Amino acid sequence: KRKRNLPSLPPGPDSITCMLTGKISHFNNFNKMVASAKAAVPTVTDQAAAMQLSQCAKNLATSLAELRTASQKAHEACGPMEIDSALNTVQTLKNELQDAKMAAVDGQLKPLPGETLEKCTQDLGSTSKAVGSSMAQLLTCAAQGNEHYTGVAARETAQALKTLAQAARGVAASTTDPVAAHAMLDSARDVMEGSAMLIQEAKQALAAPGDADSQQRLAQVAKAVSHSLNNCVNCLPGQKDVDVALKSIGESSKKLLVDSLPPSSKSFQEAQSELNQAAADLNQSAGEVVHATRGQSGELAAASGKFSDDFDEFLDAGIEMAGQAQTKEDQIQVIGNLKSISMASSKLLLAAKSLSVDPGAPNAKNLLAAAARAVTESINQLITLCTQQAPGQKECDNALRELETVKGMLDNPNEPVSDLSYFDCIESVMENSKVLGESMAGISQNAKTGDLLVFGECVGVASKALCGLTEAAAQAAYLVGISDPNSQAGQQGLVDPIQFARANQAIQMAHCGLTLLHFVQSAKEVANSTANLVKTIKALDGDFSEENRNKCRIATAPLIEAVENLTAFASNPEFVSIPAQISTEGSRAQEPILVSAKTMLESSSSLIKTARSLAINPKDPPTWSVLAGHSHTVSDSIKSLITSIRDKAPGQRECDFSIDGINRCIRDIEQASLAAVSQSLATRDDISVEALQEQLTSVVQEIGHLIDPIATAARGEAAQLGHKVTQLASYFEPLVLAAVGVASKTLNHQQQMTVLDQSKTLAESALQMLYAAKEGGGNPKASHTHDAITEAAQLMKEAVDDIMVTLNEAASEVGMVGGMVDSIAEAMTKLDEGTPPDPKGTFVDYQTTVVKYSKAIAVTAQEMVRNYFNQGLASQMTNDYGHLALQGRMAAATAEPEEIGFQIRTRVQELGHGCIFLVQKAGALQICPTDSYTKRELIECARAVTEKVSLVLSALQAGNKGTQACITAASAVSGIIADLDTTIMFATAGTLNAENNESFADHRSVLLKKMEESKALVEDTKLLVSGAASSQDKLAQAAQSSANTITQLAEVVKLGAASLGSDDPETQVVLINAIKDVAKALSDLIDDPSMYQLKGAAKVMVTNVTSLLKTVKAVEDEATRGTRALEATIEYIKQELTVFQSSEVPEKTSSPEESIRMTKGITMATAKAVAAGNSCRQEDVIATANLSRKAVADMLTACKQASYHPDVSEEVRERALRFGTECTVGYLELLEHVLLILQKATPELKHQLASFSKRVAGAVTELIQSAEAMKGTEWVDPEDPTVIAETELLGAAASIEAAAKKLEQLKPRAKPKQADETLDFEEQILEAAKSIAAATSALVKSASAAQRELVAQGKVGAIPANAADDGQWSQGLISAARMVAAATSNLCEAANASVQGHASEEKLISSAKQVAASTAQLLVACKVKADHDSEAMRRLQAAGNAVKRASDNLVRAAQKAAFGKAEDDDVVVKTKFVGGIAQIIAAQEEMLKKERELEEARKKLAQIRQQQYKFLPTELREDEG
């Protein structure tokens, strides 16, 4: 209808912009309409109507998605036209109002159909806020020079002004007062005229951004428009009367500004009586103002006038009372209270005015009630201060006034009165009821005893408790009302208008496209103005002069203006909450709570009145009887209130009903399953299987949408629980009907049972979910139920996924893809739905997930071309796109800048369109597999999907440009650091030389020039820090620039270091270390995760660049280069200490021995530092600097790695880290002292070197003891010969085991068939060799055990007392173990060579004998100090015997093989004489040669034994002797 009634617009910018504006403004409404229609489809019983509604909803959703994409593109093209279009619209509205004015003058202005005075008044009041908000946005965006947002704000302003103009015309047409009608139209036309000027100025401000004159004109025009808008609102009926009352209060309050008050002409009793009466009248008038806002505009006018008169009388009475004050301080206090009452009264009238203008404004009633309470409280404070009644009387009067004020909370509670949850309300009622019971008992008791001071205190406590009870009851009633399924729950707005209003009022009293951009800018303006104001206030505090007061006043003005601007924008109707609409059923549910609360208040008021009379006359028995009756009534009403609140807990009744309903559905499914098993399931003939599948898919999807809302409500939103649970239960009857229908039309029995079983599983999981939700009840404090709720929700989601997969596959088989298309379209719609939830990850996290799903979609698309008959591929693509859209939305929300996020969203939506077309073509091909045209279209659609996937990936890449650049730069810098480490190795070895014999002087000018350019690294550092906090482009640029700069710098410094020559390696190392420090700092800067650490890394970077510059300049200065090197080393050690002290856990761990070994470097470096301090030679200082770097860094690394070993306790770790820090700090102090000596050498300073070195030595000792504690009781000295002996024994055992494993892999070589008889010998050889290897391994292990036994018995010290004796014994043990290992290794090699045919049996025999000999030597070495009867010695002897037996076996096997071989050799004797003689001569020659070789071998063996004998320990020599 709306479309048909649109006027035909001529083609042009205005018509295009108008059309786009209309479409965009209705998108959200259309989306809600689609969602509501889809949710209603499963509940429609008429099949034809349900199918038609479902189809219409799908068509609308598809059309909306296409229209959204097209309108976004058109909007980008027409964006610049929006300002001109808005300007033309406002000019048109101005002309229309002029025509209305002419009609009013002629008496021809009539209201349009449906327009009434009340409706138009409310429309104008609510629209005025939207106009003010959009104008504030327009002002800010134009000042910033943002053309896009300025166009959006201009469009919104024009739309709001259009509504304002219509409302103003309606008010003028509906009023009976011609003067008021003319005033309304004139003020509205002034608003239009001023708005046109504002939009024109905004357009000019965009053309000249930053122009001060343009900004000033813009601000002046905006103020004029705001003034016109206020005048327009004030023309509404009743508003002028309220303004007159406000003005009257302001004029009356000027009486309080006089310096001195005239003395009172009345007695104190008369003044007190008048003040009490005036207070009662003013309090009553305040209540009448509150009630008048709910009636006609005339009522508010009368009430505000009466309130103004009563305030004037009260003020006079208060001033009269102030004149009675005895001291100046008392008088000032009374005047201060009167000022507070004046301010509270003004607030009350302002709140009443605001509510009358816009009764539907969120929380307006609460603001009014709060203002009325503030008036009452301020009156009570003044009465308490000024009156001198009998004790307890004024407390009773104050309490009665407070109770009268809070009573209004219980009248139709359709808005929240506090932030309390339902369960907080219960707790508050319980606590306050307990306090009230105690105070009521105190009232009665103290009235009886006459202790009136305590009586008054009890009355005050009771009053506070009753107010708390009333507030909790009203909030509980509101929550009960909105929790009814027929009620419409309210929606929380983007901002809290109450907080904005409170802050605005506080600042005023002190007098000192939904775009986040405006909020941020306005907040910045508030912050900046506040900062400027604070500065001026500090100056005023230091010098309270008139000049500073004026500065303070001037600084206050921009703050108030900025706050008003922000508050105006926050009051935009788009941002505020939507009030709840409580149904009749909900109101009935509220009644028990409200009745109980009202009874409680009434009886409490009567009780306090009775108690007040008893305080004066405690001897009146009838009054005591009345008091007891009231007390009983209060007690009963509180009990009734508690019972009502508990019985009406939101969602519990609905959960019970839903559980019963789902149980019935489960029974129906079970009956259907039994029928299917018995093949008696009746087939539904009234509907097709396609329609049933579509119904089932629709209802399952709607159930899936409710899982998360129910879980959220069950965990902490009790008011929503009933709504969601009822909605969920309503879907299960349609679910059962559709599931049974699908099963009845399925021929395959297995598929039948699958559908029914999965439907039953879904119902059972929903039942479990309802039980968990009922238990949780929406109570956020019932954390013990939250895990069960989460688990039930997960099970339910899995059940939904299972049945959806089954349904999609079944639909694909018959070419039905409507459900999948709907799912994809729905996922596309969610991409643009409002503000996404708070991201739990970074852009990179979401990017990774989106890339994964995008690639999966591309693969599936290609697979669909090859296997188009595979029914599961379309379903897989649908699921993947659902995940992709969800993650893509978060990626777009976290992308920077916003344009990248918009591009990601657009590309993902375009991919969705491609997926829809592809799924549709796949479905068509399922219906007609032979259609070649459809197949070609399928191929084209798959190609389009692949292309759109690549566009999505490119958009993601653009959003991560800075991160990628940082990764690349970090990799490059890591390579530079590794290259510099290699260069340092060459320099240390003295092999770093320059090419072509260049000197440092040849490179100095180039080096210094590059050093000056290295200052660019400092600028790059600033860019990295700022880029990390701003855009990806800046970050990428900074990372690339810094990587290029450090690469060039490193090359130049390397050439310079090489030119120094290898004669001065220490200076070369100093220079390379300087550039390495810079590179390392840059690497840390790029890799730093947090902004806090980033700034620290940036400071280190700047320090190291400065240090590099100083080092380069000092290289040729022999007098200072050592000093410079030492300074750089000190800075480097400080940085390493910072890393050591951080809480970051090292990537790997090391042994305590390694930590102890690294302390030796500290000891050596300390000695060198002391020597350098005494000699003061620059060469010594440079060597110390270079050695210190490595020693300290290695020590800190080893200490931290050893401390974080899994076996180290927390206490030992802390101790080791503490002493590691102390050692480093002590060494730093030593180096700094050496540096001080270099600058000014004195004998006293050199004498102090010893104390510094002692401190380092002490810290090293403590560090070593910490390492010993890490090892525990098993700690050993690595230098102890006994430990070395055991290590060698264990090493020998390991070596023998390795050789044995090698032997196990050997097999005899393959031989021809005729050689089979020798195979047995080779197997014997291998087996014997294996036995020897195993036996020697056992022998060495036994020797190790025996050696440990000697240490345990004390015969050999763990740290030897007689180092020479035990050390000599240990050396014998070590050498014997080594000989066993070497002999066994030779034996294994000989056995290997023998079976392979490469060695003689003689070598094998010799190796076996050598094993036996070395074994005997090891046994002798172990027996020297051992107890021959010990268990270890018995095992050692057994192991030695095993080796001997195995060796003998091998010798026998080898000799047998050699003997057999000799027998097999047949000598062929030549028969001829000459040949025979020649044969004999050759044999004799060979024999003589062998004899000579044998003699030489014997001599060689003797020499070897003699040489070895010299190195044997004494014990072994004697034994051999």
Side-chain angles (χ1 to χ4, degrees):
K1 183 188 285 187
R2 182 186 293 269
K3 184 176 178 182
R4 284 197 296 270
N5 292 336
L6 279 175
S8 58
L9 296 171
D14 290 351
S15 60
I16 295 173
T17 307
C18 180
M19 180 180 66
L20 289 175
T21 303
K23 283 185 173 63
I24 291 170
S25 63
H26 291 297
F27 268 135
N28 291 334
N29 295 331
F30 283 139
N31 288 332
K32 291 178 182 177
M33 181 179 177
V34 170
S36 300
K38 288 183 177 180
V41 167
T43 62
V44 178
T45 55
D46 186 340
Q47 300 298 330
M51 290 179 63
Q52 187 174 5
L53 179 60
S54 175
Q55 191 59 44
C56 290
K58 291 176 186 176
N59 295 340
L60 179 57
T62 304
S63 301
L64 274 176
E66 295 174 356
L67 179 60
R68 183 187 294 275
T69 303
S71 63
Q72 284 175 347
K73 293 179 180 177
H75 192 268
E76 291 174 9
C78 300
M81 306 179 197
E82 284 188 320
I83 298 179
D84 294 332
S85 174
L87 193 57
N88 292 337
T89 300
V90 175
Q91 293 287 1
T92 303
L93 293 175
K94 178 184 172 185
N95 296 333
E96 289 177 356
L97 287 172
Q98 181 63 34
D99 295 340
K101 173 73 181 295
M102 299 300 295
V105 171
D106 297 337
Q108 300 298 318
L109 187 63
K110 304 296 180 186
L112 298 176
E115 286 186 345
T116 63
L117 181 60
E118 295 299 326
K119 179 182 179 300
C120 294
T121 298
Q122 292 179 13
D123 289 347
L124 191 142
S126 59
T127 308
S128 64
K129 295 180 181 179
V131 172
S133 174
S134 56
M135 282 188 175
Q137 181 183 353
L138 175 67
L139 191 67
T140 303
C141 298
Q144 292 177 344
N146 191 316
E147 184 176 0
H148 170 67
Y149 286 122
T150 303
V152 172
R155 181 189 73 210
E156 293 178 354
T157 302
Q159 288 296 311
L161 287 171
K162 189 174 183 179
T163 307
L164 181 75
Q166 291 173 350
R169 184 199 174 282
V171 170
S174 302
T175 186
T176 56
D177 184 1
V179 177
H182 296 167
M184 172 60 70
L185 292 172
D186 287 340
S187 61
R189 193 182 58 193
D190 290 343
V191 171
M192 301 303 155
E193 187 173 352
S195 300
M197 292 177 61
L198 180 65
I199 295 174
Q200 186 64 40
E201 289 293 338
K203 185 178 179 181
Q204 293 177 2
L206 286 177
D211 184 21
D213 294 336
S214 177
Q215 301 291 335
Q216 187 175 5
R217 287 197 306 273
L218 196 61
Q220 290 173 351
V221 173
K223 287 182 181 178
V225 175
S226 178
H227 183 68
S228 301
L229 195 59
N230 289 333
N231 289 340
C232 186
V233 174
N234 289 334
C235 290
L236 290 172
Q239 297 298 302
K240 284 189 177 179
D241 298 290
V242 179
D243 286 339
V244 170
L246 281 166
K247 188 174 182 181
S248 174
I249 290 175
E251 290 295 328
S252 300
S253 300
K254 289 181 180 178
K255 300 174 186 177
L256 303 173
L257 300 178
V258 296
D259 292 332
S260 61
L261 296 175
S264 175
S265 59
K266 299 178 181 178
S267 67
F268 182 81
Q269 286 75 16
E270 289 177 341
Q272 178 178 311
S273 177
E274 289 180 2
L275 182 63
N276 286 336
Q277 184 61 43
D281 293 341
L282 183 62
N283 195 60
Q284 184 178 356
S285 296
E288 291 174 0
V289 168
V290 173
H291 288 291
T293 56
R294 303 168 190 160
Q296 302 294 324
S297 56
E299 295 179 20
L300 178 62
S304 58
K306 183 176 182 301
F307 181 81
S308 173
D309 295 339
D310 289 339
F311 175 80
D312 197 19
E313 292 180 7
F314 177 80
L315 194 64
D316 290 339
I319 292 174
E320 186 73 28
M321 199 68 193
Q324 299 283 341
Q326 300 298 320
T327 63
K328 185 70 173 176
E329 290 76 13
D330 292 341
Q331 193 178 77
I332 291 173
Q333 196 170 2
V334 173
I335 295 299
N337 279 339
L338 288 172
K339 289 180 179 179
S340 298
I341 295 172
S342 173
M343 181 62 71
S345 301
S346 298
K347 286 182 182 179
L348 174 64
L349 289 180
L350 287 171
K353 180 181 177 182
S354 176
L355 180 61
S356 67
V357 170
D358 187 11
N363 296 307
K365 293 180 182 177
N366 290 337
L367 286 172
L368 181 62
R373 289 179 69 179
V375 171
T376 301
E377 289 171 2
S378 56
I379 291 173
N380 287 345
Q381 289 175 3
L382 181 64
I383 295 298
T384 302
L385 177 67
C386 295
T387 59
Q388 294 181 357
Q389 298 173 343
Q393 296 299 299
K394 57 186 175 185
E395 286 86 354
C396 289
D397 292 338
N398 291 346
L400 290 172
R401 276 191 290 268
E402 288 178 355
L403 296 183
E404 184 65 28
T405 304
V406 299
K407 192 182 295 183
M409 287 185 181
L410 302 175
D411 297 335
N412 191 23
N414 58 359
E415 288 184 1
V417 296
S418 66
D419 295 329
L420 295 178
S421 69
Y422 193 82
F423 298 92
D424 292 335
C425 290
I426 294 177
E427 290 182 7
S428 177
V429 168
M430 297 298 293
E431 291 173 3
N432 283 306
S433 62
K434 183 179 178 182
V435 172
L436 180 61
E438 294 172 353
S439 59
M440 284 172 59
I443 290 172
S444 176
Q445 180 67 27
N446 291 297
K448 189 176 295 183
T449 59
D451 191 351
L452 297 183
L453 289 177
V454 181
F455 170 83
E457 292 176 2
C458 290
V459 170
V461 172
S463 175
K464 297 298 181 188
L466 284 166
C467 290
L469 279 167
T470 306
E471 183 176 329
Q475 177 71 4
Y478 165 76
L479 294 173
V480 167
I482 64 169
S483 67
D484 187 271
N486 297 309
S487 298
Q488 181 71 38
Q491 292 183 10
Q492 186 66 33
L494 179 68
V495 296
D496 186 354
I498 294 181
Q499 297 297 332
F500 270 97
R502 287 174 184 167
N504 190 9
Q505 287 177 359
I507 293 172
Q508 295 282 4
M509 289 172 66
H511 197 63
C512 303
L514 191 63
T515 165
L516 188 62
L517 177 70
H518 188 87
F519 274 123
V520 173
Q521 183 60 29
S522 299
K524 285 180 180 177
E525 291 175 1
V526 171
N528 293 335
S529 304
T530 305
N532 293 332
L533 179 60
V534 169
K535 290 179 182 177
T536 56
I537 289 174
K538 286 182 178 178
L540 181 64
D541 185 50
D543 180 13
F544 201 83
S545 63
E546 190 63 30
E547 181 183 358
N548 284 338
R549 284 191 65 183
N550 290 331
K551 288 182 180 178
C552 187
R553 191 179 299 111
I554 293 170
T556 305
L559 173 62
I560 294 176
E561 183 180 352
V563 170
E564 287 177 346
N565 188 13
L566 182 58
T567 308
F569 187 68
S571 64
N572 191 320
E574 285 186 81
F575 306 146
V576 297
S577 306
I578 298 175
Q581 297 177 4
I582 298 177
S583 64
T584 306
E585 294 83 354
S587 298
R588 280 200 296 269
Q590 289 177 330
E591 285 179 5
I593 298 175
L594 297 178
V595 169
S596 299
K598 288 178 181 177
T599 304
M600 175 193 69
L601 280 182
E602 290 171 1
S603 55
S604 299
S605 298
S606 301
L607 184 143
I608 291 174
K609 289 177 183 176
T610 307
R612 180 175 59 179
S613 63
L614 280 175
I616 299 172
N617 183 17
K619 301 296 185 181
D620 187 6
T623 309
W624 279 107
S625 178
V626 173
L627 181 70
H630 290 316
S631 177
H632 183 70
T633 306
V634 171
S635 179
D636 289 344
S637 61
I638 291 176
K639 290 177 183 177
S640 175
L641 176 64
I642 294 172
T643 304
S644 300
I645 292 178
R646 283 181 171 169
D647 290 345
K648 298 293 182 182
Q652 296 298 306
R653 182 169 55 101
E654 289 80 7
C655 282
D656 290 335
F657 289 156
S658 301
I659 287 170
D660 292 340
I662 293 180
N663 273 323
R664 286 194 301 271
C665 292
I666 291 174
R667 287 194 293 271
D668 292 341
I669 295 177
E670 289 174 345
Q671 292 295 327
S673 298
L674 291 173
V677 170
S678 60
Q679 302 294 323
S680 60
L681 185 61
T683 304
R684 286 188 60 180
D685 297 326
D686 60 330
I687 190 171
S688 65
V689 65
E690 290 83 3
L692 285 169
Q693 285 182 340
E694 193 168 337
Q695 285 181 10
L696 187 56
T697 301
S698 175
V699 74
V700 171
Q701 285 178 339
E702 294 303 325
I703 289 172
H705 294 161
L706 284 172
I707 297 174
D708 285 334
I710 289 178
T712 302
R715 281 193 290 262
E717 297 179 5
Q720 295 294 324
L721 185 58
H723 293 270
K724 302 304 178 186
V725 165
T726 303
Q727 189 177 356
L728 176 70
S730 68
Y731 288 135
F732 275 90
E733 189 174 346
L735 171 75
V736 173
L737 289 174
V740 173
V742 169
S744 69
K745 285 183 170 290
T746 303
L747 300 178
N748 189 313
H749 178 69
Q750 183 63 37
Q751 291 180 355
Q752 268 188 341
M753 297 309 298
T754 299
V755 171
L756 292 174
D757 288 345
Q758 288 180 342
S759 300
K760 182 182 175 184
T761 302
L762 179 57
E764 289 172 343
S765 63
L767 192 64
Q768 184 178 348
M769 180 74 182
L770 288 180
Y771 279 123
K774 185 175 186 293
E775 182 70 18
N779 186 0
K781 296 181 180 179
S783 55
H784 62 281
T785 65
H786 293 176
D787 289 341
I789 294 169
T790 304
E791 183 181 354
Q794 185 60 36
L795 290 174
M796 199 170 171
K797 286 179 182 178
E798 291 173 1
V800 167
D801 291 341
D802 290 343
I803 196 169
M804 283 303 299
V805 169
T806 301
L807 291 173
N808 285 337
E809 290 177 355
S812 298
E813 290 179 2
V814 293
M816 285 181 55
V817 293
M820 301 182 208
V821 170
D822 289 347
S823 298
I824 296 175
E826 186 178 356
M828 291 167 59
T829 305
K830 288 183 179 179
L831 278 168
D832 284 326
E833 275 187 2
T835 306
D838 292 335
K840 296 180 181 178
T842 63
F843 174 79
V844 177
D845 298 331
Y846 296 120
Q847 179 197 35
T848 304
T849 313
V850 173
V851 168
K852 180 181 77 172
Y853 285 118
S854 299
K855 290 181 178 179
I857 288 174
V859 171
T860 306
Q862 297 305 315
E863 193 67 24
M864 287 173 75
V865 174
R866 292 191 293 270
N867 301 325
Y868 60 87
F869 49 81
N870 188 337
Q871 298 89 3
L873 292 176
S875 176
Q876 180 64 38
M877 177 171 285
T878 303
N879 292 334
D880 286 342
Y881 185 80
H883 294 300
L884 171 66
L886 180 65
Q887 297 296 316
R889 184 184 183 201
M890 302 307 298
T894 53
E896 294 177 358
E898 289 183 7
E899 288 75 10
I900 297 294
F902 177 76
Q903 192 177 28
I904 292 172
R905 227 173 11 248
T906 305
R907 297 281 172 80
V908 172
Q909 283 180 334
E910 290 174 355
L911 176 59
H913 288 300
C915 291
I916 286 175
F917 294 144
L918 181 59
V919 169
Q920 287 173 337
K921 295 305 175 187
L925 206 57
Q926 287 291 325
I927 298 173
C928 186
T930 59
D931 188 351
S932 60
Y933 181 75
T934 305
K935 192 168 184 179
R936 282 198 301 272
E937 287 185 329
L938 179 73
I939 295 172
E940 289 298 325
C941 289
R943 185 181 295 115
V945 166
T946 306
E947 291 174 357
K948 289 174 180 179
V949 165
S950 65
L951 292 175
V952 171
L953 296 179
S954 64
L956 289 169
Q957 193 68 28
N960 202 24
K961 188 188 300 181
T963 308
Q964 294 293 336
C966 282
I967 293 172
T968 305
S971 176
V973 174
S974 297
I976 292 170
I977 293 173
D979 183 46
L980 291 172
D981 282 332
T982 307
T983 308
I984 289 174
M985 289 174 59
F986 281 117
T988 306
T991 57
L992 184 63
N993 294 302
E995 298 179 2
N996 304 324
N997 294 324
E998 296 172 337
S999 65
F1000 186 78
D1002 298 331
H1003 287 275
R1004 193 174 191 280
S1005 58
V1006 178
L1007 196 56
L1008 287 176
K1009 183 179 178 182
K1010 282 292 180 184
M1011 286 300 103
E1012 291 300 320
E1013 292 178 5
S1014 73
K1015 292 179 181 178
L1017 268 177
V1018 177
E1019 298 301 320
D1020 292 339
T1021 301
K1022 294 178 182 177
L1023 284 174
L1024 275 172
V1025 175
S1026 61
S1030 58
S1031 67
Q1032 290 277 324
D1033 288 334
K1034 286 185 178 179
L1035 187 60
Q1037 181 183 358
Q1040 292 168 357
S1041 175
S1042 58
N1044 293 335
T1045 305
I1046 194 67
T1047 302
Q1048 297 173 7
L1049 199 57
E1051 289 299 322
V1052 172
V1053 172
K1054 278 165 57 181
L1055 290 173
S1059 66
L1060 289 170
S1062 57
D1063 296 336
D1064 192 4
E1066 297 292 349
T1067 307
Q1068 288 180 324
V1069 172
V1070 167
L1071 192 57
I1072 300 169
N1073 270 330
I1075 184 63
K1076 182 186 169 186
D1077 290 345
V1078 175
K1080 190 172 181 297
L1082 180 59
S1083 177
D1084 293 340
L1085 179 65
I1086 293 173
D1087 289 337
D1088 246 320
S1090 66
M1091 183 59 65
Y1092 176 75
Q1093 293 175 342
L1094 194 66
K1095 292 178 180 177
K1099 290 180 181 177
V1100 172
M1101 176 74 187
V1102 173
T1103 302
N1104 288 350
V1105 170
T1106 307
S1107 176
L1108 173 63
L1109 289 169
K1110 292 179 180 178
T1111 302
V1112 170
K1113 291 179 180 178
V1115 162
E1116 287 187 310
D1117 187 355
E1118 294 184 357
T1120 61
R1121 62 184 180 184
T1123 306
R1124 179 65 230 131
L1126 194 58
E1127 289 174 351
T1129 297
I1130 291 172
E1131 184 61 36
Y1132 173 80
I1133 293 174
K1134 287 180 180 178
Q1135 294 170 13
E1136 288 296 313
L1137 182 60
T1138 303
V1139 175
F1140 177 78
Q1141 291 174 333
S1142 68
S1143 58
E1144 187 176 352
V1145 179
E1147 295 180 358
K1148 62 179 182 178
T1149 58
S1150 62
S1151 64
E1153 290 87 349
E1154 182 71 15
S1155 178
I1156 294 173
R1157 193 173 296 116
M1158 290 305 165
T1159 58
K1160 292 183 180 179
I1162 295 290
T1163 305
M1164 293 174 58
T1166 303
K1168 270 193 170 292
V1170 172
N1174 286 319
S1175 68
C1176 294
R1177 295 176 63 245
Q1178 293 292 316
E1179 292 79 5
D1180 294 343
V1181 175
I1182 292 175
T1184 300
N1186 292 336
L1187 180 62
S1188 299
R1189 277 175 173 263
K1190 187 172 188 328
V1192 174
D1194 290 346
M1195 183 273 293
L1196 290 176
T1197 303
C1199 178
K1200 192 164 188 178
Q1201 289 179 350
S1203 300
Y1204 279 92
H1205 194 279
D1207 297 336
V1208 176
S1209 65
E1210 184 68 28
E1211 181 183 355
V1212 174
R1213 177 185 299 123
E1214 290 179 359
R1215 181 184 171 195
L1217 294 176
R1218 182 172 74 251
F1219 288 118
T1221 301
E1222 286 188 11
C1223 180
T1224 308
V1225 171
Y1227 192 77
L1228 271 173
E1229 291 177 353
L1230 172 62
L1231 292 183
E1232 288 171 347
H1233 191 71
V1234 171
L1235 189 62
L1236 183 62
I1237 293 173
L1238 290 175
Q1239 294 167 354
K1240 185 180 179 181
T1242 63
E1244 292 80 7
L1245 291 176
K1246 290 185 179 181
H1247 183 69
Q1248 292 173 8
L1249 283 172
S1251 62
F1252 283 104
S1253 63
K1254 284 180 182 177
R1255 181 182 174 188
V1256 176
V1260 169
T1261 303
E1262 294 285 354
L1263 188 59
I1264 291 173
Q1265 291 176 356
S1266 301
E1268 293 174 7
M1270 291 181 202
K1271 192 74 175 176
T1273 56
E1274 296 181 0
W1275 184 86
V1276 294
D1277 183 2
E1279 303 300 323
D1280 183 3
T1282 308
V1283 175
I1284 297 175
E1286 182 174 359
T1287 304
E1288 288 291 342
L1289 286 171
L1290 295 176
S1295 173
I1296 293 167
E1297 286 179 354
K1301 287 181 181 177
K1302 184 177 179 182
L1303 274 175
E1304 287 176 1
Q1305 299 172 359
L1306 295 177
K1307 293 182 181 179
R1309 66 184 184 275
K1311 289 187 176 180
K1313 293 288 183 181
Q1314 62 271 21
D1316 281 351
E1317 63 270 19
T1318 63
L1319 187 64
D1320 185 52
F1321 295 119
E1322 291 180 347
E1323 287 181 349
Q1324 288 181 23
I1325 290 170
L1326 278 178
E1327 287 302 320
K1330 291 177 184 178
S1331 299
I1332 291 176
T1336 51
S1337 175
L1339 173 66
V1340 173
K1341 289 180 180 177
S1342 299
S1344 176
Q1347 191 259 353
R1348 279 198 297 272
E1349 185 181 75
L1350 294 179
V1351 174
Q1353 292 173 354
K1355 296 183 178 180
V1356 178
I1359 299 177
N1362 186 350
D1365 185 18
D1366 284 351
Q1368 189 180 38
W1369 170 81
S1370 297
Q1371 288 298 324
L1373 192 63
I1374 292 167
S1375 61
R1378 287 174 176 168
M1379 287 172 64
V1380 170
T1384 306
S1385 179
N1386 288 333
L1387 171 66
C1388 294
E1389 290 177 3
N1392 183 16
S1394 177
V1395 297
Q1396 297 294 333
H1398 303 310
S1400 64
E1401 285 77 4
E1402 288 79 4
K1403 182 176 181 181
L1404 190 63
I1405 294 169
S1406 175
S1407 299
K1409 289 182 177 180
Q1410 183 62 36
V1411 169
S1414 59
T1415 299
Q1417 191 169 340
L1418 178 62
L1419 286 172
V1420 170
C1422 287
K1423 289 178 182 177
V1424 170
K1425 294 190 177 186
D1427 182 1
H1428 293 276
D1429 295 329
S1430 69
E1431 180 64 26
M1433 281 309 299
R1434 283 197 292 271
R1435 288 200 306 270
L1436 184 65
Q1437 188 64 48
N1441 293 337
V1443 174
K1444 189 173 185 304
R1445 281 196 302 272
S1447 301
D1448 292 342
N1449 291 336
L1450 180 61
V1451 169
R1452 281 196 297 271
Q1455 288 175 343
K1456 185 178 179 182
F1459 181 74
K1461 183 178 179 182
E1463 288 182 349
D1464 291 342
D1465 290 341
D1466 294 332
V1467 179
V1468 179
V1469 180
K1470 295 184 179 181
T1471 54
K1472 299 209 175 182
F1473 179 77
V1474 177
I1477 294 297
Q1479 195 174 15
I1480 291 171
I1481 293 172
Q1484 288 176 342
E1485 179 186 2
E1486 187 176 358
M1487 183 181 68
L1488 291 172
K1489 189 185 297 183
K1490 295 293 183 183
E1491 287 177 351
R1492 188 172 64 253
E1493 289 176 357
L1494 177 62
E1495 187 64 28
E1496 291 175 354
R1498 282 176 176 166
K1499 289 180 180 178
K1500 187 175 181 181
L1501 178 61
Q1503 291 174 355
I1504 291 172
R1505 285 179 172 170
Q1506 287 174 1
Q1507 292 296 323
Q1508 285 183 341
Y1509 185 76
K1510 293 178 183 179
F1511 300 104
L1512 283 177
T1514 308
E1515 292 85 345
L1516 296 184
R1517 293 186 197 179
E1518 291 173 356
D1519 195 270
E1520 284 198 2

